[in-house]
Amino acid sequence: MTHEEVLNIVRGIFRDVFDDDDLIVEDSTNSSDIEDWDSLEHIALVVSMEKEFDLKFDLKEVNKLENVGQMVDLIISKLA
Amino acid sequence: MNDLSYEEIEVGHKESFTVTVTEEMMDKFLAITGDVNPLHNDEDYARSEGHPGRVVYGMLSASLLSTLAGVYLPGKRSLIHEVKIKFAKPVYIGDTLTVEGTVEEKHDVYSLLMLKATIRNQSGDKVCRAKMQVGVS
């Protein structure tokens, strides 16, 4: 899948988790851009992505991520 | 109290316990919450609403899910993240409730358990259905 294709799926997950269909999500988006993006919702995001893409993250990988773009890259690397 | 580690627990793991709801429990819940709604506190009002007696607070029944996670599954290492609950049938004083939790999913990255929980009365009717997300420290 292309970066854009994965990003679109990730956008959908963000909109579900935060229950906001108008949520703007770009590669540069990070937790300071979304008010409700706290540790609990971060867990919900990671678990939803594991389910959606049928893959498993480990804590070190996830803790290094700084924005959505890096999350997309990590997903692509795991799908490869 | 159980002290189950994340590794010890497997999908399908089940725990349950039983509690009989008493007037004293209702009084204590009222004292804590200040919920003076007559459905829970006024016998005549509850009967006028078609109930056989005072209706037990739904959140009193729901509070037993705290015990389910914190004492039984996983027990001591429990950290409740989220609870989604449905109140399917009314509960009445004197009802004997059986609370049961089953591990539906495990998520290793955050040592998470997804529990399905049910609360049944003495007739076996489901009075509450819940999904819980519980971390294991």
Side-chain angles (χ1 to χ4, degrees):
Chain A
M1 284 203 272
T2 67
H3 186 98
E4 195 55 30
E5 284 168 336
V6 174
L7 178 58
N8 275 328
I9 296 170
V10 165
R11 278 192 182 110
I13 290 171
F14 267 76
R15 287 172 182 149
D16 281 347
V17 167
F18 291 105
D19 201 21
D20 177 355
D21 290 336
D22 304 321
L23 192 62
I24 305 295
V25 178
E26 301 302 345
D27 282 331
S28 59
T29 303
N30 61 44
S31 56
S32 55
D33 299 318
I34 301 176
E35 184 189 357
D36 291 339
W37 191 346
D38 53 25
S39 59
L40 202 53
E41 296 308 344
H42 190 70
I43 289 172
L45 287 167
V46 170
V47 168
S48 299
M49 287 183 204
E50 282 192 324
K51 282 186 183 177
E52 175 65 35
F53 295 100
D54 191 25
L55 47 80
K56 284 210 177 281
F57 297 116
D58 72 48
L59 204 51
K60 281 192 230 69
E61 286 174 329
V62 172
N63 286 344
K64 271 188 277 180
L65 299 174
E66 291 173 4
N67 54 44
V68 170
Q70 288 181 13
M71 168 61 90
V72 171
D73 293 339
L74 176 59
I75 291 168
I76 289 172
S77 72
K78 284 182 159 295
L79 290 177
Chain B
M1 171 168 62
N2 288 340
D3 185 4
L4 299 168
S5 69
Y6 179 76
E7 292 68 26
E8 283 177 273
I9 298 168
E10 294 184 2
V11 171
H13 186 113
K14 221 182 270 281
E15 295 282 347
S16 68
F17 64 97
T18 297
V19 171
T20 297
V21 181
T22 63
E23 293 234 7
E24 188 190 1
M25 287 165 72
M26 290 288 279
D27 296 341
K28 286 181 177 174
F29 192 88
L30 171 61
I32 293 169
T33 63
D35 181 348
V36 294
N37 187 292
L39 195 63
H40 309 303
N41 294 289
D42 182 329
E43 194 79 18
D44 294 334
Y45 178 80
R47 290 183 193 282
S48 73
E49 291 292 305
H51 295 284
R54 288 161 59 196
V55 176
V56 172
Y57 298 91
M59 294 309 284
L60 193 166
S61 305
S63 66
L64 299 173
L65 297 177
S66 179
T67 313
L68 175 66
V71 176
Y72 294 91
L73 186 56
K76 184 176 178 182
R77 305 179 207 204
S78 162
L79 187 63
I80 297 176
H81 291 180
E82 184 174 334
V83 179
K84 286 180 186 158
I85 186 164
K86 293 180 179 173
F87 301 104
K89 281 193 166 62
V91 175
Y92 301 108
I93 297 169
D95 280 358
T96 296
L97 303 179
T98 299
V99 183
E100 181 177 86
T102 306
V103 176
E104 286 197 311
E105 291 173 37
K106 287 182 70 176
H107 287 280
D108 302 343
V109 64
Y110 290 114
S111 300
L112 280 186
L113 305 177
M114 304 297 190
L115 304 184
K116 177 181 155 189
T118 60
I119 302 179
R120 295 176 186 271
N121 63 22
Q122 60 280 1
S123 310
D125 300 331
K126 268 186 205 173
V127 295
C128 289
R129 295 193 307 274
K131 299 273 187 180
M132 300 177 71
Q133 178 176 307
V134 181
V136 186
S137 60

